[in-house]
Structures are given as C-alpha cells and as structure tokens.
Amino acid sequence: MENNISIEVLKSGEESAFKEVIRMYQKQVLKIAYGYTNDLHDSDDIAQEVFITLYKNLKKIVSAEHLKHYIYRVAVSRSLDFLRRNRFKNLFVRFSQLGENKVNNFPGRADIPEDNIAYSDLNRALEMALNRLSNNQKTVFILKNHEGLSIKEISSITSMGESTVKTHLFRATRKIRAYISTTIMGEK
Amino acid sequence: MQGKHLNEKDFYNIYYYPKGAAELSEHLDSCPDCKSRYENFANETGLITKDIHNEKISGLDERFFNTQTDKIISAIRSTKEKDEMSRQLFPKLVPVMATVLVMFLAITAGVIHFSKNGPSGQPIMAMSEEDIADDILLMEIEELKEMPSIDGLEIFVELNGEGTDINDEHGAVHLKKTIKV
C-alpha cells in the first residue's frame, strides 16, 4: 500500500487527509481487532476507537512509518483492552460457538462452496487455536504472520525486546501446530 | 553442521529468519533427510500461519467501510465541537470558579475559627462528639473556681444556647468528666 499522505497536512487536522488515512488502514485495523474478538461488530467498535484516538494524538506523529506503527500499537492495545473488559463474555461466547461455522456470518460474504468445506474447518480450528494463545503470543503471531511485520517492527509496536518477540512467536506457532495436529489430524 | 541433523527449533529459525539462518539453510542442501523434514515442516507451518482473517475482511462490501468511515468522522466532528465549546466557556468560567473557591475557603476558615473558641474568645476544652451530643457543660476554669461548692446548690449553665441542670446525676457525671480543677 503506497503511503502518499503528507504528515504535515494530516497534522493540520484536514478532514480529507484523515479520511485517506482511514481508507488506507481500516482493513488492517479491522483484521487485527478481529484476530482478538472473532466478532465483526466488536471489531468495528475497536477500529472506530483506534482512529478516534489517532485523531486526538495526531500532533505526536512525526513520519509515515511512525503513523503506521502508532496505528498498529493502538489497534493491539484497544483489542487487548476489549479482551480484558469482556473476559467472561468471551469465554461464554467461545463455548457457545463451538461447532458453528462463523465464516458465513458476514454481510456481503458469499456462501462457501462445498469443495471448500475442509478449508473452512481448518480456518475454524485455527481461530480456536489462536484463542488458546496468551495475549502476547497472539499479538506477536498475528503481527508477524497476518500483517507481515518484521521482528524489529513488532518489538517497537509492543515494547517487547526482540528476543522476547521471537520466543513468543516460537511458542505460539508450536502451540497452534500441536492443536491442529490433535484436532484436525487426530494425532496424539 | 555436517553429521548433525536439524531439530524443530532450527526449522523455525530457517522459516522465520532465513537471513540469520544461512548456515542452517546450507545444511539442508547437503542433507536430503533434513531437507525432506523441513519441507514438510514448512508446508504445515505455511498452512497454520496463513492470514485466515484476510479473506473474511476482504469479503466485506464497500458499504461497510464507508459506513465505518462516516461514523469515525462524525465522532471526530462531535469531539471538535465539544472542544470548541470548552475553549469558549473556559475563560468565562475561571473568574467565577475562582471567586467561589475564595468564598468557600473564607467560610471554611471562619467556621473552624469560631468552632475552636468560645463566646469569650478563649479556647474551650476539646471534647468528643459523643460528649457534645450528650449536652456536656463546659465552663472556663476561672469561673468554676469562683463558684460555691456544687453540692446542694442548683447551678444552671448554658452552652450554645442550650441549658441543663448539673445537679442531677447525669449532669454531675458529665461535669466531672470534662473539667479538671
């Protein structure tokens, strides 16, 4: 994604420039939030919070790269705040949605063709596996594998050391592999 | 690395940090067994690390994102209006609040001053709220010394406009508790 935003214009509070930033990053933010919530409406709320927070703190942004890191940092932070606020609700929702195919529950989303049923089973299992990770492991896993960020960038966004990021990534991947092996492949 | 097979941790390092794992990668070229195991590992890891949410989010229509943008802009405009109102109101409120604060401090100081001193201006003895509630009588020590013996006399004293007869047992006990002669 090309970043043609002028930071100075953005910081002046010009609405059109800010709309452009929203357009550039809203899918990523929504995706990050969804990685934590598995719910579109909650993810939508979190995404709105992220951009409103960004607007209030525009003066702190110094460069395009800083803007990107700031958005990711706030997205992760707000998502984790959401998880903390809704600890018990999330547990209940997780159990009640076992066996439900959530992939089809989006507006505008086409039905999955029959030959993709196995694929969606894997996706569902992966979602459940992600939910079993600790917050730090999930954060690192999502930012590395879903957002394609480098270890250095993840370290900057999360304020964790690079070694810590690598350790979380290793453990997260290992946990998910083990979960998928036992649930999908029936290995023990 | 010759003669030593790679383990799972090595595979992770090659997968995630290929630049830093050059030596390990070179081993794969010379060890068919490790290469085969790594390829299986990479295929499985590729499956579990794929961006499963991308398809879902990308599948949302443009209407959803436009609505989200409108909500954000609307919230920001609302915040801007509130900030503007505060900016206009604040200069007018400051002198009013300062006046109220000064008056409050003055009243509080006056209440503390008067509550510490009796009508004659001399400090009265401290007592617990329980004693006050029981209508304890207090006299200045000099006045008490000049009085005749309490026994057999009716003495009627006032405190804060309320009077009580100290000759009854109740009053005498209270007087003994509070006055040191």
Side-chain angles (χ1 to χ4, degrees), chain B residues 161-175:
Chain B
E162 289 184 19
T164 188
D165 183 354
I166 63 165
N167 269 13
D168 69 78
E169 185 181 359
H170 184 69
V173 165
H174 286 163
L175 190 62

Side-chain angles (χ1 to χ4, degrees), chain A residues 13 15 18-19 22 26-27 30-31 34-35 38 40 44 47-48 51-52 55-56 103 106-109 119 122-123 126-127 130 141 144-146 151 166 169-170 173-174 176-177, chain B residues 8-9 12-13 15-17 40-42 44-45 47-66 68-73 75-77 79-80:
Chain A
E15 205 171 89
F18 194 73
K19 270 188 180 173
I22 297 174
Q26 70 187 146
K27 281 189 184 174
L30 197 64
K31 210 160 43 109
Y34 191 82
N38 292 321
L40 182 62
D44 187 17
Q48 288 179 45
F51 287 107
I52 291 168
Y55 186 82
K56 288 179 181 172
V103 179
F106 289 107
R109 182 72 169 86
Y119 181 85
L122 175 61
N123 276 8
L126 284 172
E127 270 187 359
L130 266 176
F141 189 87
K144 176 70 181 143
N145 291 305
H146 297 184
I151 298 297
K166 286 182 180 178
L169 182 60
F170 170 70
T173 313
R174 207 180 199 191
I176 292 178
R177 283 174 64 90
Chain B
E8 190 189 13
K9 193 83 185 278
Y12 276 112
N13 283 328
Y15 185 84
Y16 278 125
Y17 323 110
N40 284 339
F41 171 90
E44 287 171 7
T45 308
L47 266 178
I48 66 172
T49 56
K50 67 184 174 71
D51 189 356
I52 56 172
H53 299 135
N54 189 48
E55 193 179 328
K56 295 181 185 181
I57 302 302
S58 298
L60 297 173
D61 54 23
E62 207 55 37
R63 187 169 42 103
F64 174 87
F65 291 110
N66 288 339
Q68 187 185 67
T69 305
D70 290 341
K71 282 187 206 170
I72 294 166
I73 296 297
I76 287 169
R77 282 180 187 159
T79 306
K80 265 185 185 172

Side-chain angles (χ1 to χ4, degrees), chain B residues 77-90:
Chain B
R77 282 180 187 159
S78 173
T79 306
K80 265 185 185 172
E81 282 168 10
K82 284 182 193 164
D83 287 346
E84 188 56 38
M85 268 181 65
S86 301
R87 253 195 302 272
Q88 288 175 3
L89 211 54
F90 188 70

Side-chain angles (χ1 to χ4, degrees), chain B residues 40-173:
Chain B
N40 284 339
F41 171 90
N43 287 337
E44 287 171 7
T45 308
L47 266 178
I48 66 172
T49 56
K50 67 184 174 71
D51 189 356
I52 56 172
H53 299 135
N54 189 48
E55 193 179 328
K56 295 181 185 181
I57 302 302
S58 298
L60 297 173
D61 54 23
E62 207 55 37
R63 187 169 42 103
F64 174 87
F65 291 110
N66 288 339
T67 306
Q68 187 185 67
T69 305
D70 290 341
K71 282 187 206 170
I72 294 166
I73 296 297
S74 173
I76 287 169
R77 282 180 187 159
S78 173
T79 306
K80 265 185 185 172
E81 282 168 10
K82 284 182 193 164
D83 287 346
E84 188 56 38
M85 268 181 65
S86 301
R87 253 195 302 272
Q88 288 175 3
L89 211 54
F90 188 70
K92 295 174 187 169
L93 277 179
V94 166
V96 171
M97 287 169 67
T99 307
V100 168
L101 182 65
V102 165
M103 284 174 59
F104 175 76
L105 287 172
I107 292 168
T108 308
V111 165
I112 291 170
H113 173 76
F114 284 119
S115 68
K116 276 185 176 173
N117 298 294
S120 60
Q122 297 297 317
I124 57 177
M125 284 188 282
M127 51 189 155
S128 69
E129 288 181 8
E130 187 183 351
D131 288 340
I132 292 173
D134 288 338
D135 290 333
I136 295 293
L137 308 175
L138 294 173
M139 292 182 192
E140 292 184 7
I141 293 173
E142 294 301 321
E143 287 181 7
L144 184 62
K145 284 178 182 174
E146 291 171 6
M147 287 175 64
S149 166
I150 295 171
D151 294 334
L153 288 179
E154 281 187 23
I155 302 176
F156 192 84
V157 295
E158 265 187 311
L159 176 66
N160 294 333
E162 289 184 19
T164 188
D165 183 354
I166 63 165
N167 269 13
D168 69 78
E169 185 181 359
H170 184 69
V173 165

